[in-house]
Amino acid sequence: MKLFIYHTPELTPVDKVPECAIAVDVLRATTTMATVLAAGGEAVQVFSNLDQLMQVSESWPAEKRLRAGERGGAKVPGFDMGNSPLECTPDLVKGRRLFISTTNGTRTLQRVQDAKAVLAAAFINRGAAVKYLLSLQPETVWIVGSGWEGSFSLEDTACAGAIAHSLLQLADLSADEVAGNDEVINAIALYSQWQDNLLGLFHNASHGKRLLGLECHEDLKYCSQTDTLDVLPMQQEPGVLKRYY
């Protein structure tokens, strides 16, 4: 298994796709996706375009759909919810499909949608992603952070490092055996420095500060938890993710 980490979708190679791709948007899209499916959501369908989301979701009965729209960290007017995992209670989402468009995370999923296996991971389901990698042993794995509008983000790279760190520990492998690019070593080092204070990392991150300005303190606390959900969102058809386990 060779592991490659890319800080943003724009940095991924344009002429190839991996056997397995893991999209990461800790604050907050992939955290929300895992939470929705853990709470009994039927599926998550991602869109980069809000108008397309509205058009496609119209074909679903109102009682079977939820529309989530976020731009700049804030809820898009007219949508059922924004991008907060704390809104995803079983009473709201059970049996419903979440149609979601966010500033960064949905773009990442669309970039890697042609990979043989496409997963969504965050700190809360890090262990579920690692369990999949150990079980299936894909030959090439990309972990792709979403960043912020094309720029590096601390939290996504730290989460990529958390996945790599756990994989190496559980498989008893060295970074030299697994790392396909220098970013893997970089991400592991970042996670190792902050693993006992992920909330502190979020408070230092530009998007964490942006969310704090929107009074999303509890969201940051929730997103900073590690291995709390044994749920893995996996793409079943382009743009549609369902619970793998």
Side-chain angles (χ1 to χ4, degrees):
M1 185 189 309
K2 277 294 180 184
L3 190 62
F4 299 81
I5 289 175
Y6 299 100
H7 299 312
T8 69
E10 290 81 6
L11 292 172
T12 57
V14 296
D15 57 344
K16 62 183 74 172
V17 292
E19 188 173 350
C20 175
I22 304 175
V24 174
D25 186 3
V26 173
L27 297 176
R28 295 163 288 174
T30 54
T31 302
T32 295
M33 292 171 191
T35 303
V36 165
L37 296 180
E42 181 265 336
V44 176
Q45 189 162 351
V46 302
F47 299 84
S48 57
N49 182 281
L50 292 168
D51 291 335
Q52 185 185 22
L53 184 159
M54 294 297 291
Q55 181 180 356
V56 172
S57 62
E58 275 297 319
S59 64
W60 283 71
E63 69 275 9
K64 290 291 185 181
R65 71 176 183 232
L66 281 170
R67 293 165 171 159
E70 172 265 313
R71 290 294 183 269
K75 175 185 173 184
V76 176
F79 280 67
D80 298 312
M81 55 184 285
N83 189 22
S84 173
L86 299 182
E87 296 181 80
C88 304
T89 61
D91 285 347
L92 179 64
V93 307
K94 189 173 183 180
R96 304 173 89 174
R97 175 169 293 205
L98 183 73
F99 296 86
I100 184 170
S101 179
T102 71
T103 307
N104 302 293
T106 49
R107 191 180 75 253
T108 304
L109 281 160
Q110 290 192 325
R111 168 63 192 93
V112 299
Q113 68 180 13
D114 292 331
K116 183 176 179 181
V118 177
L119 318 174
F123 281 109
I124 60 169
N125 71 330
R126 184 267 306 261
V130 173
K131 181 169 70 173
Y132 175 89
L133 295 178
L134 291 172
S135 174
L136 276 294
Q137 293 286 324
E139 185 176 344
T140 54
V141 180
W142 291 2
I143 307 177
V144 185
S146 298
W148 178 261
E149 296 183 340
S151 298
F152 170 91
S153 69
L154 283 169
E155 68 278 2
D156 290 348
T157 297
C159 184
I163 295 169
H165 182 269
S166 179
L167 180 67
L168 293 178
Q169 283 195 325
L170 293 174
D172 194 24
L173 295 169
S174 69
D176 182 58
E177 294 174 277
V178 174
N181 59 3
D182 286 356
E183 286 88 337
V184 175
I185 310 300
N186 170 270
I188 291 172
L190 179 64
Y191 170 69
S192 297
Q193 181 178 349
W194 289 94
Q195 60 182 315
D196 296 324
N197 186 20
L198 292 174
L199 185 57
L201 175 71
F202 292 178
H203 279 245
N204 279 278
S206 60
H207 192 41
K209 292 176 181 177
R210 191 176 293 109
L211 291 174
L212 288 171
L214 294 169
E215 303 297 325
C216 296
H217 305 79
E218 295 304 315
D219 275 23
L220 293 194
K221 290 180 183 177
Y222 180 85
C223 295
S224 69
Q225 300 174 95
T226 303
D227 300 338
T228 54
L229 296 180
D230 189 23
V231 171
L232 188 64
M234 174 179 277
Q235 181 175 263
Q236 302 298 312
E237 58 185 90
V240 177
L241 293 93
K242 296 191 175 185
R243 183 171 178 167
Y244 179 70
Y245 51 69

